[in-house]
Amino acid sequence: FSSPSLLATGPQAQTASSTGELKRIADQLAANGDHEAAIPIYRHLGARSGDPAALGALANSLIALGVNEEATSILAMLIERGQANGAVWYSLGKTQLANGHFEEALTAFNNAATQMGVDPKIRSGKAIALAALGRTGEALAAFQKETDRLTLSNKALILAATGNADTATWMLEL
């Protein structure tokens, strides 16, 4: 007869602990930009448990290395499983932009915004998708409330691409 307290310290607890440690190591590698080292760990964790956090992190490391098609497949699988959060939708928007699928990118960024609220990176991605679709007025309007450097540089890029080079230059010199 085993007591319940002994069951909690058995192999399942050790497996959960080692899984958490592996995830922590992979996350640290990815945070340091060593995505090539993080990817095999994330693959192992994703294949072993199907953990949406590990699979999302795998997709983000793949995106960082420009492996957008595989990242898109992983993100689509998470969405199909009903395991997508705002970060998954945002990452899907990034891959769709990179693949030239601007309508799909816009949809993904809108879904990310629904779940994550106002976020400059989501607004920036949405604006880039709008600009790529030729909806320049809407793209520029999406930037109106943002003042961070990334958003301003993206706004300047859209202005420059639409014949407003002087305004774009002025914005970059701020």
Side-chain angles (χ1 to χ4, degrees):
F1 174 75
S2 296
S3 73
S5 63
L6 292 177
L7 293 176
T9 60
Q12 287 117 353
Q14 290 174 355
T15 301
S17 175
S18 64
T19 297
E21 182 63 14
L22 282 175
K23 174 83 167 55
R24 188 193 64 71
I25 291 168
D27 289 346
Q28 187 61 49
L29 289 167
N32 291 337
D34 194 356
H35 297 283
E36 289 180 0
I39 286 172
I41 299 170
Y42 287 138
R43 282 189 199 285
H44 169 76
L45 293 171
R48 184 174 177 194
S49 67
D51 177 27
L55 291 169
L58 171 59
N60 287 330
S61 281
L62 290 166
I63 291 167
L65 295 179
V67 187
N68 293 317
E69 292 296 328
E70 184 179 356
T72 300
S73 295
I74 292 166
L75 297 165
M77 177 187 64
L78 289 171
I79 291 166
E80 288 171 13
R81 289 181 180 176
Q83 296 175 320
N85 58 20
V88 166
W89 283 108
Y90 172 73
S91 295
L92 181 62
K94 286 177 27 177
T95 64
Q96 296 294 14
L97 275 180
N99 293 330
H101 302 136
F102 306 121
E103 285 288 347
E104 293 85 350
L106 183 58
T107 299
F109 289 129
N110 283 333
N111 284 324
T114 298
Q115 293 189 17
M116 295 173 71
V118 177
D119 183 308
K121 66 184 182 184
I122 294 170
R123 186 171 288 170
S124 188
K126 180 178 176 177
I128 292 167
L130 287 165
L133 291 167
R135 295 162 57 182
T136 307
E138 289 175 76
L140 293 173
F143 287 125
Q144 292 305 320
K145 296 177 184 170
E146 304 301 332
T147 58
D148 64 281
R149 286 229 174 267
L150 174 64
T151 302
L152 291 176
S153 67
N154 284 333
K155 183 176 182 178
L157 179 63
I158 291 171
L159 287 166
T162 57
N164 295 301
D166 291 339
T167 305
T169 302
W170 173 80
M171 286 185 74
L172 291 172
E173 290 175 346
L174 291 177

